[in-house]
Amino acid sequence: MNWKKLLCEKRRRGYSTSAVSADPRNEFQKDYHRIIGSASFRRLQDKTQVFPLDRGDFVRTRLTHSLEVSSFAKSLGQMIFRNIIRYREDSGLEEADIEKICSVLECAGLIHDIGNPPFGHFGEDYVRDWFRRNLPQMEYNGKKLNELLTPQMMGDLCNFEGNAQALRLLTKLHFLVDENGMNLTYPLLNTIIKYPVSSTGINKKSGNIKDKKMGYYYADKEIFEDIVSSTGAVDCRHPLAFILEAADDIAYKTADIEDAVKKGFITYPLLLSELRNTYAERCADDGEREEYSRAVEKLESYYSHALENGVSSPEQNAVQRWMIYVQGVLLKCAAFGFTSNYSDIMQGTFPKEILAVSHGNALAYALGDMAYRFVFRSKEIYKLEVAAGEIYEFLLSKFVRAAVLYDTGFESSAIEQRVMRFISENYIRAYRVNSQGKTETEKLYLRLMLVTDYICGMTDGYARKLYRELSGIE
């Protein structure tokens, strides 16, 4: 791969440049304004990051998380590529490319979660589980749905993925001018494709991170192939996808712990004890051990400093200060992980996360594991997820059953006809455009996708409100 192609300025729909010739922005900076002005981006303010249906105003939402990822990704881009130019690691990379790269990363951070459904990662899990349970039980024209749909169509639904939904939303569903969605640049779209495989290409045992999940649906195969052939990132990740992934990891791993301490899931003594006694042995070498030990000492020093200065909440103050320190450490480590593996990344053969091959690996693992053990597996979160599950079960059951017979020669019930009227006209229009000339099986698949499109576009508040209204709850 080379940066001339990786930073190509292609969009799905071209446009005349004569009217904007005086515009000093590069193409990727123009993407930024398209994104922040979009309704899809604004909806992230009412989508869960960790705590579904939470009424507090401190914890992160998808919007605040995306802003943090955007900031970290841009910073990483500056750190990494200035070093690459300084040490002449790539003769094809120019100083002017750094601004473009940072613009791509800044935008990618804003949209990396834009396809996620309501109620956090639990929502993704519930959609997958619902289709696995129900598709073999449902019929269309006398046949079970799982017998009608192709393996990839089944895989798309049963392995539903927010990453793939983001590509779909940005290229088709954000229907303003035409069927090309936001019409963003291909390098930006390629950067958010963390897993450049289809649902039938998922292989969690391959040893390559790119095969872990799917990155595009059968319905979006054409645009995916156009993107990767244009950038040159065929059968591998775009190099900037590694940086976006690291920025995402740093943002959520530090934020989850900070939010957990603020809400009382984790105390300062527990955090310090776990860091001292549970994770230090994960350090792979002296360099990683030194980085880890220094981080633990920093946490203790921040707490002592807060006590000495009479801070009203010394534990929370120490953790908040420590999180800023840890973010800086992990950013430095991620930059090293990328630059030290630059050749393999550019050849498309690097199989891991860049944080995993750095001195920050043990520290990053500790943060993620503590959040999982003390927050995600807590009774409080389980209660919120059970409530969210009731909403998903109701909405998926209502809309999927109505969608199966929609736009066919078969008569649906009066209720099913009314249910379909709730779906956004933009999504209906996108369905009609993309279903033209398709087979009956493909149309059935697209109708099922129409439901996931609609539900993924909902905010937490709208999903809850619609559930209550349609189920007759006051």
Side-chain angles (χ1 to χ4, degrees), residues 37-56:
S38 70
S40 300
F41 179 69
R42 290 195 298 274
R43 289 191 189 102
L44 294 175
Q45 68 185 312
D46 186 24
K47 284 197 174 186
T48 295
Q49 177 61 21
V50 176
F51 301 94
L53 304 173
D54 186 82
R55 296 181 183 276

Side-chain angles (χ1 to χ4, degrees), residues 38 54 82 85 103 149 162 166 199 207 225 227 303 312 328-329 339 364 381 396:
S38 70
D54 186 82
R82 294 206 180 280
I85 285 183
S103 293
L149 299 174
S199 57
E225 290 179 344
I227 289 169
Y303 180 66
S312 59
V329 170
T339 54
I381 291 295
L396 283 167

Side-chain angles (χ1 to χ4, degrees), residues 336-375:
F336 174 81
F338 189 94
T339 54
S340 60
N341 293 280
Y342 184 70
S343 178
D344 288 343
I345 289 172
M346 292 301 289
Q347 291 175 27
T349 58
F350 186 65
K352 300 179 180 180
E353 300 173 3
I354 56 176
L355 266 178
V357 295
S358 76
H359 288 161
N361 182 46
L363 183 57
Y365 177 86
L367 299 178
D369 190 62
M370 279 188 283
Y372 174 73
R373 289 166 54 211
F374 299 115
V375 180

Side-chain angles (χ1 to χ4, degrees), residues 298-365:
K298 272 289 185 183
L299 176 60
E300 293 179 279
S301 70
Y302 287 147
Y303 180 66
S304 298
H305 189 266
L307 287 176
E308 291 170 4
N309 286 277
V311 175
S312 59
S313 301
E315 294 187 359
Q316 288 187 15
N317 177 267
V319 172
Q320 287 177 313
R321 286 188 66 190
W322 187 64
M323 282 305 154
I324 296 171
Y325 167 80
V326 170
Q327 287 167 357
V329 170
L330 294 181
L331 285 170
K332 177 191 69 176
C333 290
F336 174 81
F338 189 94
T339 54
S340 60
N341 293 280
Y342 184 70
S343 178
D344 288 343
I345 289 172
M346 292 301 289
Q347 291 175 27
T349 58
F350 186 65
K352 300 179 180 180
E353 300 173 3
I354 56 176
L355 266 178
V357 295
S358 76
H359 288 161
N361 182 46
L363 183 57
Y365 177 86

Side-chain angles (χ1 to χ4, degrees), residues 9 25-26 31 37 43 85 98 102 113 122 134 143 211 215 219 221 245 271 286 294 304 309 328 364 382 403 428:
E9 297 182 347
R25 299 173 299 168
N26 65 51
D31 283 342
R43 289 191 189 102
I85 285 183
I98 296 180
C102 290
D113 274 349
F122 171 79
N134 288 279
K143 290 186 178 181
D211 302 326
K221 182 173 182 287
E245 178 178 57
L271 175 61
D286 290 342
R294 189 159 49 239
S304 298
N309 286 277
Y382 284 164
I428 293 291

Side-chain angles (χ1 to χ4, degrees), residues 224-274:
F224 168 80
E225 290 179 344
D226 192 20
I227 289 169
V228 298
S229 64
S230 298
T231 64
V234 180
D235 297 326
C236 63
R237 280 181 165 184
H238 191 289
L240 299 186
F242 289 96
I243 298 175
L244 175 64
E245 178 178 57
D248 187 20
D249 287 348
I250 293 168
Y252 82 75
K253 286 178 186 292
T254 55
D256 288 356
I257 296 297
E258 184 180 351
D259 288 356
V261 170
K262 184 72 174 181
K263 291 183 70 66
F265 286 87
I266 296 175
T267 63
Y268 168 79
L270 176 62
L271 175 61
L272 183 60
S273 174
E274 289 291 324

Side-chain angles (χ1 to χ4, degrees), residues 68-349:
E68 290 172 344
V69 174
S70 176
S71 175
F72 290 155
K74 183 177 181 179
S75 295
L76 275 172
Q78 292 169 335
M79 294 165 64
I80 288 169
F81 290 99
R82 294 206 180 280
N83 275 332
I84 288 173
I85 285 183
R86 181 180 302 133
Y87 296 108
R88 296 181 173 88
E89 294 186 35
D90 189 336
S91 60
L93 186 68
E94 301 175 356
E95 189 73 33
D97 293 328
I98 296 180
E99 184 178 23
K100 294 179 180 179
I101 286 170
C102 290
S103 293
V104 171
L105 288 168
E106 184 177 30
C107 291
L110 296 178
I111 60 175
H112 79 286
D113 274 349
I114 205 165
N116 284 50
F119 312 125
H121 289 295
F122 171 79
E124 290 178 283
D125 292 336
Y126 205 96
V127 172
R128 295 174 196 132
D129 180 66
W130 193 92
F131 279 114
R132 288 168 186 167
R133 286 186 287 110
N134 288 279
L135 286 181
Q137 311 301 322
M138 300 177 68
E139 293 186 356
Y140 170 69
N141 198 20
K143 290 186 178 181
K144 301 289 187 183
L145 296 193
N146 63 318
E147 296 173 353
L148 285 169
L149 299 174
T150 68
Q152 186 173 352
M153 293 174 183
M154 281 290 294
D156 288 356
L157 296 164
C158 297
N159 296 284
F160 171 82
E161 180 60 45
N163 289 290
Q165 188 66 28
L167 179 65
R168 180 167 174 77
L169 171 66
L170 295 167
T171 58
K172 290 183 177 177
L173 303 181
H174 193 87
F175 207 120
L176 290 180
V177 178
D178 56 23
E179 66 274 14
N180 295 300
M182 285 193 197
N183 198 36
L184 301 174
T185 54
Y186 279 12
L188 172 55
L189 294 172
N190 206 168
T191 297
I192 68 166
I193 301 173
K194 292 172 63 177
Y195 310 104
V197 297
S198 68
S199 57
T200 54
I202 297 172
N203 183 0
K204 296 181 180 181
K205 298 180 180 180
S206 73
N208 195 320
I209 188 70
K210 76 177 182 66
D211 302 326
K212 184 179 177 181
K213 300 176 183 178
M214 70 170 167
Y216 66 95
Y217 298 124
Y218 168 79
D220 309 315
K221 182 173 182 287
E222 180 185 346
I223 180 65
F224 168 80
E225 290 179 344
D226 192 20
I227 289 169
V228 298
S229 64
S230 298
T231 64
V234 180
D235 297 326
C236 63
R237 280 181 165 184
H238 191 289
L240 299 186
F242 289 96
I243 298 175
L244 175 64
E245 178 178 57
D248 187 20
D249 287 348
I250 293 168
Y252 82 75
K253 286 178 186 292
T254 55
D256 288 356
I257 296 297
E258 184 180 351
D259 288 356
V261 170
K262 184 72 174 181
K263 291 183 70 66
F265 286 87
I266 296 175
T267 63
Y268 168 79
L270 176 62
L271 175 61
L272 183 60
S273 174
E274 289 291 324
L275 288 169
R276 280 176 173 170
N277 303 316
T278 304
Y279 301 103
E281 62 185 26
R282 293 189 63 87
C283 296
D285 54 40
D286 290 342
E288 188 171 356
R289 194 171 295 109
E290 182 180 345
E291 194 73 79
Y292 185 89
S293 298
R294 189 159 49 239
V296 177
E297 291 169 2
K298 272 289 185 183
L299 176 60
E300 293 179 279
S301 70
Y302 287 147
Y303 180 66
S304 298
H305 189 266
L307 287 176
E308 291 170 4
N309 286 277
V311 175
S312 59
S313 301
E315 294 187 359
Q316 288 187 15
N317 177 267
V319 172
Q320 287 177 313
R321 286 188 66 190
W322 187 64
M323 282 305 154
I324 296 171
Y325 167 80
V326 170
Q327 287 167 357
V329 170
L330 294 181
L331 285 170
K332 177 191 69 176
C333 290
F336 174 81
F338 189 94
T339 54
S340 60
N341 293 280
Y342 184 70
S343 178
D344 288 343
I345 289 172
M346 292 301 289
Q347 291 175 27
T349 58

